[in-house]
């Protein structure tokens, strides 16, 4: 359905007249003016979706409540998931830092171990050759 909109500016609000092709009826809508009183029309999809509250005894009320409850649960689930993701990111960063620290520590200990084993091997070689030469001389 094609629509034609006419805008009349008033302080803080605009009246938009919408005329449908099927009927020549005009339905004015009050739309809040944008920040700073700018004169731009707000499309119906961007307008507030608040409507009059449903009668608690109506047939639509339970369906409305169920949809609203589902939306609230979905939003909470998304927030929980985002919080968990952030928590896991922090934990991952901490673990990566710990890996770097332990890798450095391992490298230092490995170098100390290799240096120690070379020193021990160097000390044992001259004493074992001295023992064999003194035994051969005797």
């Amino acid at each position: 359905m094609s629509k034609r909109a006419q805008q009349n500016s008033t302080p803080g609000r605009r009246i938009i007249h919408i005329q449908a092709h099927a009927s020549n009826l005009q339905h004015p809508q009050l739309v809040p003016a944008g920040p700073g009183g700018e004169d731009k029309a707000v499309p119906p999809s961007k307008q507030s979706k608040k409507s009059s509250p449903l009668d608690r005894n109506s047939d639509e009320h339970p369906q409305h409540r169920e949809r609203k409850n589902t939306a609230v649960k979905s939003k909470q689930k998304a927030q929980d998931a985002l919080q968990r993701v952030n928590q896991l990111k922090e934990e991952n960063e901490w673990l990566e830092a710990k890996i770097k620290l332990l890798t450095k520590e391992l490298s230092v200990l490995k170098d100390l171990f290799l240096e120690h084993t070379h020193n021990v091997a160097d000390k044992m070689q001259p004493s074992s050759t001295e023992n064999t030469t003194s035994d051969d001389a005797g």
Side-chain angles (χ1 to χ4, degrees):
M1 181 185 317
S2 170
K3 295 178 182 178
R4 184 172 62 93
Q6 299 173 348
Q7 297 179 12
N8 297 328
S9 293
T10 59
R13 296 183 185 260
R14 273 182 256 125
I15 299 176
I16 299 176
H17 297 281
I18 300 175
Q19 184 177 13
H21 273 301
S23 65
N24 287 331
L25 300 175
Q26 291 186 354
H27 302 284
Q29 285 182 310
L30 289 177
V31 180
E38 60 189 38
D39 194 23
K40 289 187 177 179
V42 178
S45 63
K46 299 284 183 180
Q47 294 176 11
S48 175
K49 302 223 183 217
K50 300 241 177 192
S51 60
S52 61
L54 290 175
D55 180 19
R56 291 183 184 259
N57 298 326
S58 72
D59 292 338
E60 293 91 15
H61 183 70
Q63 295 169 347
H64 174 75
R65 292 300 312 152
E66 183 63 32
R67 283 193 305 268
K68 194 166 187 173
N69 288 342
T70 302
V72 168
K73 287 177 186 176
S74 296
K75 184 177 179 181
Q76 183 62 44
K77 189 174 181 181
Q79 288 175 344
D80 291 346
L82 184 60
Q83 183 180 2
R84 180 74 173 137
V85 165
N86 290 333
Q87 179 185 1
L88 289 172
K89 281 182 181 179
E90 287 178 12
E91 184 179 348
N92 191 39
E93 290 173 2
W94 181 81
L95 288 170
E96 286 177 353
K98 187 169 184 174
I99 287 171
K100 285 181 182 179
L101 179 66
L102 290 172
T103 301
K104 286 180 183 179
E105 189 177 333
L106 175 65
S107 177
V108 168
L109 291 173
K110 181 179 170 185
D111 290 343
L112 285 172
F113 176 75
L114 291 175
E115 184 179 330
H116 178 72
T117 56
H118 287 306
N119 288 341
V120 168
D122 289 344
K123 287 181 181 177
M124 291 184 74
Q125 278 183 349
S127 64
S128 64
T129 54
E130 289 176 9
N131 290 342
T132 54
T133 54
S134 61
D135 289 340
D136 292 338

